[in-house]
Amino acid sequence: MDFSTFDFNPSIAAAVQKCGYITPTPIQMQAIPHLLQGRDLLGLAQTGTGKTAAFVLPTLQRLQQGARKKVRTLILTPTRELAEQIHENIGQMVGKTGLRSCTVYGGVSKVSQVNRLKGGVEIVVACPGRLLDHINSGTIDLSDIEVLILDEADQMFDHGFLPDIRRILKHVPLERQSMVFSATMPGPIRHLVEEVLTDHITVQVDFEKPAETISHVLFQVEQSRKTALLKNILKKKDMATTLIFTRTKYKAKNLARQLQKAGLNATSLQGNLSQNQRKLAMDGFKTGKFNIMVATDIAARGIDVSGISHVVNYDVPDTAEAYTHRTGRTGRAEQSGEAFTFVTSDDGKIIKVVERTLGQTIRRETLADFDYTVVPVVSHPRKRNTGGAKRKPAAAGRKKSKSYRRAA
């Protein structure tokens, strides 16, 4: 089966060929026929399986007919990076259709976004917060929306976007085609997704399991020795392009700095960066200026870098689904990849869950010449005054000195 089976408009078909798409991926093969028929759809597939093309191509086919220079498709994403990634992919697939898209997210000029919207676009790729800002300002009209798409739905709901999404839905016509795509979908979130969909089809392609091209390795190490172990591994193993995950923004920033001080080409991607800083980090990682990126889960949702050779879980993820999503950043397009996970004595429970999901016991490894010994922190108790002159109490009515008041 190839893409000609879908009978796309000649302009779209030419763009597909130019993109080098030949054989549809499983998620594309199963989702596109339903979407071309106008059905609502919940698509579950692991990262790197072609979800973006699965929802963009049928949408472009639909938009070929109908009004131009009106916002007819809305794509919601959790991060600015992912919004830009989808926007770039749309640019490659529109070909000579004349269809246009723009991005709407915070951290950049709202004025430039307003100007692009005034110029007329058919597709808007947006993050919820800034989109609501435009709605409240009257600078965007969603009354002509025909297609609503939620990408990375697990993160959209899991990171508190549900109230914003519900507010946005009030401005979108009830008569529409809706799609929800995600790499993971924990049970409690599934019923929330179904609020968006009507009489939908579910397409599920091994979304709980990472690609078979990924090898998995555990390193048992205590928290205080993680950074030292990471530096050793990065310097001694052949790790061309490495993505490292931490649990917090502060840790991502701090760890990247420590790696830089060790002479490694590292950068970080986390929520405290300005949009310009995020762009510099992403561009540097894509072009090879940095071969190491330290990121949090939500920031990494927009990372679309081909050829990531290694993923390192500096901090163990909270769920097996998150592990699947993280490690899915390597081993793409049938290339091999490695996933290293640093495990402390407190992580045994979640590792068992991950291994059940993988259907295998993860290989344990140690670095031969690395000292795993944890150096105990020695506290120095304050010396007691055992014989010298005792401090005289302050005389009644006399002001204590500044230094004495501070110590008290």
Side-chain angles (χ1 to χ4, degrees), residues 230-260:
L230 178 62
K231 290 176 184 176
N232 271 266
I233 289 174
L234 289 170
K235 289 180 177 180
K236 292 178 181 178
K237 289 186 176 285
D238 184 17
M239 301 172 72
T241 308
T242 305
L243 179 58
I244 302 168
F245 284 96
T246 63
R247 190 168 285 119
T248 66
K249 295 181 285 187
Y250 169 79
K251 194 179 289 186
K253 178 182 177 181
N254 186 52
L255 181 57
R257 283 182 175 175
Q258 291 186 63
L259 296 179
Q260 290 166 3

Short mmCIF file of all heavy atoms in Angstrom, two decimals, residues 230-260:
data_model
loop_
_atom_site.label_atom_id
_atom_site.label_comp_id
_atom_site.label_asym_id
_atom_site.label_seq_id
_atom_site.Cartn_x
_atom_site.Cartn_y
_atom_site.Cartn_z
N LEU A 230 26.59 10.39 34.91
CA LEU A 230 26.19 10.90 33.60
C LEU A 230 27.39 11.45 32.82
O LEU A 230 27.56 11.17 31.63
CB LEU A 230 25.13 11.98 33.77
CG LEU A 230 24.62 12.65 32.49
CD1 LEU A 230 23.95 11.64 31.57
CD2 LEU A 230 23.66 13.79 32.81
N LYS A 231 28.22 12.23 33.49
CA LYS A 231 29.41 12.79 32.83
C LYS A 231 30.30 11.68 32.30
O LYS A 231 30.82 11.76 31.18
CB LYS A 231 30.18 13.68 33.80
CG LYS A 231 29.49 14.97 34.16
CD LYS A 231 30.30 15.74 35.21
CE LYS A 231 29.59 17.01 35.66
NZ LYS A 231 30.34 17.69 36.75
N ASN A 232 30.49 10.64 33.11
CA ASN A 232 31.34 9.51 32.69
C ASN A 232 30.75 8.82 31.46
O ASN A 232 31.47 8.50 30.51
CB ASN A 232 31.47 8.51 33.84
CG ASN A 232 32.65 8.82 34.73
OD1 ASN A 232 33.73 8.28 34.55
ND2 ASN A 232 32.44 9.71 35.70
N ILE A 233 29.46 8.57 31.50
CA ILE A 233 28.81 7.88 30.38
C ILE A 233 28.89 8.71 29.10
O ILE A 233 29.20 8.20 28.03
CB ILE A 233 27.35 7.56 30.73
CG1 ILE A 233 27.29 6.46 31.80
CG2 ILE A 233 26.56 7.13 29.50
CD1 ILE A 233 25.89 6.17 32.31
N LEU A 234 28.63 10.01 29.21
CA LEU A 234 28.65 10.88 28.04
C LEU A 234 30.03 10.95 27.40
O LEU A 234 30.16 11.07 26.18
CB LEU A 234 28.17 12.28 28.43
CG LEU A 234 26.68 12.43 28.74
CD1 LEU A 234 26.39 13.80 29.34
CD2 LEU A 234 25.83 12.22 27.49
N LYS A 235 31.06 10.88 28.23
CA LYS A 235 32.43 10.99 27.71
C LYS A 235 32.96 9.66 27.18
O LYS A 235 33.83 9.64 26.30
CB LYS A 235 33.35 11.53 28.80
CG LYS A 235 33.11 13.00 29.13
CD LYS A 235 34.04 13.50 30.22
CE LYS A 235 33.83 14.99 30.48
NZ LYS A 235 34.71 15.51 31.55
N LYS A 236 32.45 8.54 27.69
CA LYS A 236 33.04 7.24 27.34
C LYS A 236 32.23 6.44 26.32
O LYS A 236 32.78 5.61 25.62
CB LYS A 236 33.24 6.41 28.61
CG LYS A 236 34.31 7.00 29.52
CD LYS A 236 34.48 6.22 30.79
CE LYS A 236 35.55 6.86 31.68
NZ LYS A 236 35.70 6.17 32.95
N LYS A 237 30.93 6.69 26.25
CA LYS A 237 30.12 5.97 25.27
C LYS A 237 29.93 6.80 24.01
O LYS A 237 30.04 8.02 24.04
CB LYS A 237 28.77 5.59 25.89
CG LYS A 237 28.86 4.50 26.96
CD LYS A 237 27.48 4.08 27.42
CE LYS A 237 27.55 2.94 28.42
NZ LYS A 237 27.87 1.66 27.78
N ASP A 238 29.67 6.13 22.93
CA ASP A 238 29.47 6.81 21.65
C ASP A 238 28.03 7.30 21.58
O ASP A 238 27.13 6.58 21.18
CB ASP A 238 29.76 5.84 20.50
CG ASP A 238 29.66 6.52 19.14
OD1 ASP A 238 29.69 7.76 19.10
OD2 ASP A 238 29.55 5.80 18.13
N MET A 239 27.82 8.55 21.99
CA MET A 239 26.46 9.12 22.08
C MET A 239 26.40 10.36 21.21
O MET A 239 26.71 11.46 21.64
CB MET A 239 26.11 9.42 23.54
CG MET A 239 26.18 8.17 24.42
SD MET A 239 26.00 8.49 26.20
CE MET A 239 24.27 8.90 26.31
N ALA A 240 25.99 10.16 19.97
CA ALA A 240 26.01 11.24 18.99
C ALA A 240 25.08 12.39 19.34
O ALA A 240 25.48 13.56 19.39
CB ALA A 240 25.67 10.68 17.61
N THR A 241 23.82 12.07 19.59
CA THR A 241 22.81 13.09 19.92
C THR A 241 21.98 12.56 21.08
O THR A 241 21.31 11.54 20.95
CB THR A 241 21.89 13.37 18.72
OG1 THR A 241 22.70 13.66 17.58
CG2 THR A 241 20.97 14.54 19.00
N THR A 242 22.03 13.26 22.20
CA THR A 242 21.45 12.73 23.44
C THR A 242 20.42 13.68 24.03
O THR A 242 20.67 14.89 24.15
CB THR A 242 22.56 12.48 24.49
OG1 THR A 242 23.55 11.63 23.92
CG2 THR A 242 22.00 11.86 25.75
N LEU A 243 19.27 13.13 24.39
CA LEU A 243 18.20 13.88 25.06
C LEU A 243 18.08 13.35 26.48
O LEU A 243 17.86 12.15 26.69
CB LEU A 243 16.89 13.69 24.30
CG LEU A 243 15.65 14.40 24.86
CD1 LEU A 243 15.87 15.90 24.95
CD2 LEU A 243 14.43 14.09 23.98
N ILE A 244 18.23 14.24 27.46
CA ILE A 244 18.23 13.87 28.88
C ILE A 244 16.99 14.45 29.55
O ILE A 244 16.70 15.64 29.40
CB ILE A 244 19.50 14.39 29.59
CG1 ILE A 244 20.75 13.83 28.91
CG2 ILE A 244 19.49 14.02 31.08
CD1 ILE A 244 22.04 14.51 29.34
N PHE A 245 16.27 13.61 30.29
CA PHE A 245 15.04 14.06 30.95
C PHE A 245 15.24 14.22 32.45
O PHE A 245 15.76 13.31 33.12
CB PHE A 245 13.90 13.06 30.71
CG PHE A 245 13.31 13.14 29.34
CD1 PHE A 245 13.74 12.28 28.34
CD2 PHE A 245 12.33 14.07 29.05
CE1 PHE A 245 13.19 12.34 27.07
CE2 PHE A 245 11.78 14.14 27.78
CZ PHE A 245 12.21 13.28 26.78
N THR A 246 14.80 15.36 32.97
CA THR A 246 14.75 15.60 34.42
C THR A 246 13.32 15.89 34.83
O THR A 246 12.48 16.20 33.98
CB THR A 246 15.64 16.78 34.83
OG1 THR A 246 15.12 17.98 34.23
CG2 THR A 246 17.09 16.59 34.41
N ARG A 247 13.07 15.82 36.13
CA ARG A 247 11.70 16.00 36.61
C ARG A 247 11.30 17.47 36.72
O ARG A 247 10.13 17.81 36.60
CB ARG A 247 11.54 15.30 37.96
CG ARG A 247 10.10 15.20 38.46
CD ARG A 247 9.96 14.26 39.63
NE ARG A 247 10.03 12.86 39.24
CZ ARG A 247 10.95 12.00 39.67
NH1 ARG A 247 11.88 12.40 40.50
NH2 ARG A 247 10.94 10.75 39.26
N THR A 248 12.26 18.36 36.97
CA THR A 248 11.93 19.77 37.21
C THR A 248 12.69 20.71 36.29
O THR A 248 13.75 20.37 35.75
CB THR A 248 12.23 20.17 38.67
OG1 THR A 248 13.66 20.12 38.88
CG2 THR A 248 11.53 19.24 39.65
N LYS A 249 12.15 21.91 36.13
CA LYS A 249 12.79 22.94 35.31
C LYS A 249 14.14 23.35 35.91
O LYS A 249 15.12 23.51 35.18
CB LYS A 249 11.88 24.17 35.22
CG LYS A 249 10.58 23.94 34.48
CD LYS A 249 9.73 25.19 34.40
CE LYS A 249 9.07 25.51 35.72
NZ LYS A 249 8.11 26.64 35.61
N TYR A 250 14.17 23.51 37.23
CA TYR A 250 15.40 23.93 37.89
C TYR A 250 16.50 22.91 37.65
O TYR A 250 17.65 23.26 37.35
CB TYR A 250 15.17 24.12 39.39
CG TYR A 250 16.46 24.30 40.18
CD1 TYR A 250 17.12 25.53 40.19
CD2 TYR A 250 17.02 23.23 40.87
CE1 TYR A 250 18.30 25.69 40.88
CE2 TYR A 250 18.21 23.39 41.56
CZ TYR A 250 18.85 24.62 41.57
OH TYR A 250 20.04 24.76 42.24
N LYS A 251 16.16 21.63 37.77
CA LYS A 251 17.18 20.59 37.62
C LYS A 251 17.68 20.53 36.18
O LYS A 251 18.87 20.31 35.94
CB LYS A 251 16.61 19.24 38.03
CG LYS A 251 17.67 18.16 38.24
CD LYS A 251 17.08 16.84 38.68
CE LYS A 251 16.55 16.89 40.10
NZ LYS A 251 16.10 15.56 40.57
N ALA A 252 16.79 20.74 35.21
CA ALA A 252 17.22 20.75 33.80
C ALA A 252 18.23 21.85 33.55
O ALA A 252 19.28 21.63 32.92
CB ALA A 252 16.00 20.92 32.89
N LYS A 253 17.93 23.04 34.05
CA LYS A 253 18.83 24.17 33.87
C LYS A 253 20.17 23.93 34.57
O LYS A 253 21.24 24.14 33.99
CB LYS A 253 18.16 25.44 34.44
CG LYS A 253 19.01 26.69 34.37
CD LYS A 253 18.25 27.86 35.01
CE LYS A 253 19.09 29.13 35.03
NZ LYS A 253 18.36 30.25 35.68
N ASN A 254 20.12 23.47 35.81
CA ASN A 254 21.33 23.27 36.60
C ASN A 254 22.19 22.15 36.02
O ASN A 254 23.43 22.28 35.95
CB ASN A 254 20.94 22.93 38.05
CG ASN A 254 22.13 22.85 38.96
OD1 ASN A 254 22.95 23.76 39.02
ND2 ASN A 254 22.25 21.75 39.70
N LEU A 255 21.56 21.06 35.59
CA LEU A 255 22.32 19.93 35.04
C LEU A 255 23.01 20.33 33.73
O LEU A 255 24.17 19.97 33.50
CB LEU A 255 21.39 18.74 34.81
CG LEU A 255 22.04 17.48 34.25
CD1 LEU A 255 23.16 16.98 35.15
CD2 LEU A 255 21.00 16.38 34.05
N ALA A 256 22.32 21.08 32.88
CA ALA A 256 22.94 21.53 31.63
C ALA A 256 24.17 22.39 31.91
O ALA A 256 25.20 22.26 31.24
CB ALA A 256 21.92 22.31 30.80
N ARG A 257 24.08 23.23 32.91
CA ARG A 257 25.22 24.08 33.27
C ARG A 257 26.40 23.24 33.75
O ARG A 257 27.56 23.51 33.40
CB ARG A 257 24.81 25.08 34.37
CG ARG A 257 24.00 26.25 33.85
CD ARG A 257 23.66 27.21 34.96
NE ARG A 257 23.00 28.40 34.47
CZ ARG A 257 22.51 29.36 35.25
NH1 ARG A 257 22.62 29.27 36.57
NH2 ARG A 257 21.90 30.42 34.72
N GLN A 258 26.11 22.22 34.55
CA GLN A 258 27.19 21.36 35.03
C GLN A 258 27.86 20.59 33.89
O GLN A 258 29.08 20.40 33.89
CB GLN A 258 26.65 20.38 36.07
CG GLN A 258 26.23 21.05 37.38
CD GLN A 258 25.83 20.04 38.43
OE1 GLN A 258 26.65 19.22 38.86
NE2 GLN A 258 24.59 20.07 38.86
N LEU A 259 27.07 20.18 32.93
CA LEU A 259 27.64 19.47 31.78
C LEU A 259 28.48 20.42 30.92
O LEU A 259 29.53 20.04 30.40
CB LEU A 259 26.52 18.86 30.94
CG LEU A 259 25.68 17.77 31.62
CD1 LEU A 259 24.59 17.26 30.68
CD2 LEU A 259 26.55 16.61 32.09
N GLN A 260 28.03 21.66 30.80
CA GLN A 260 28.81 22.66 30.06
C GLN A 260 30.16 22.90 30.73
O GLN A 260 31.20 22.98 30.07
CB GLN A 260 28.02 23.97 29.97
CG GLN A 260 26.81 23.91 29.06
CD GLN A 260 25.87 25.09 29.25
OE1 GLN A 260 26.14 26.00 30.03
NE2 GLN A 260 24.74 25.06 28.56
#
